Amino acid sequence: MSAFNPYAPPAADTLDSGRQWGESDDRGGLWRERFLLVMDKTATLPVDRCIVCDAPATGRPLRRKLSWHSPWWYLLVLFNLLVYVIAAMIVRRKVDLRVGLCDTHRSRRRWWIALAWSLVLAAIGLLSFGMTARLADGTMAALMGLAVVGFLTAGIIGIYAVRVVTAKQIDDRYAWIGGVSSQLLDTLPDWPGPKYHG
Ligand SMILES: [Zn+2]
C-alpha cells in the first residue's frame, strides 16, 4: 500500500494547514459579526484594498499590533494604577495585523500623527515656559490647564484617529476587529461561533 502513486492528490494540501491562510485571495479564517470582522488570529486580512473605505490600497500594508483585555480590569484603576498596569500587561491578548490603506486614509493618518505630536510639543513648550517665566498665579494656572488639554487631546487623537482598526475583543484564537469597511464585511460569511457582547 505504500507504493508511490503518481495520481494521488498532493499531500501538502492537508499537511501544511497553516499555509492556506497566507494566500491573499483566500478569505479563510475571516467572518463578519454585524459591524465587526471576526478573524482567526493566524489568518491574514486582504491588503489589496483599503481596510477603511475599500478603495485600492497603495504602498506597503500598515502593521497594527492590537491588544485587548476585559473591561472589568479597569476597575483596578480605582484601587491602584500601578496594579492595573501590571495586571493589564499580564491578561491582555494580542493580535498582529497587516492592513491595506488607500492614499487618502494613509495621508489622513499621517496628518493626525503630526497634529498629535505638535500638540505634545506645544504642551511641553507651555509647561517649560510656565516654569521658567515669572507669571501671576492665574496666568500660570491657565498655562498648565492649556498644557493638560494639549496632552489629553493628543492622547485622544492617538487612541481614535491613528489606530485605524480597533480590537473589540480578543481570545486565545480569535479577534473581533472594528473599523473595517462594510464592503469587505459584505464579502465574508457570518460568524458561526459565540457572539460578541460589548
Ligand atoms: Zn481608504
Side-chain angles (χ1 to χ4, degrees), residues 50 52-55 101-102 104-105:
C50 176
V52 182
C53 71
D54 208 49
L101 280 181
C102 67
T104 305
H105 284 108

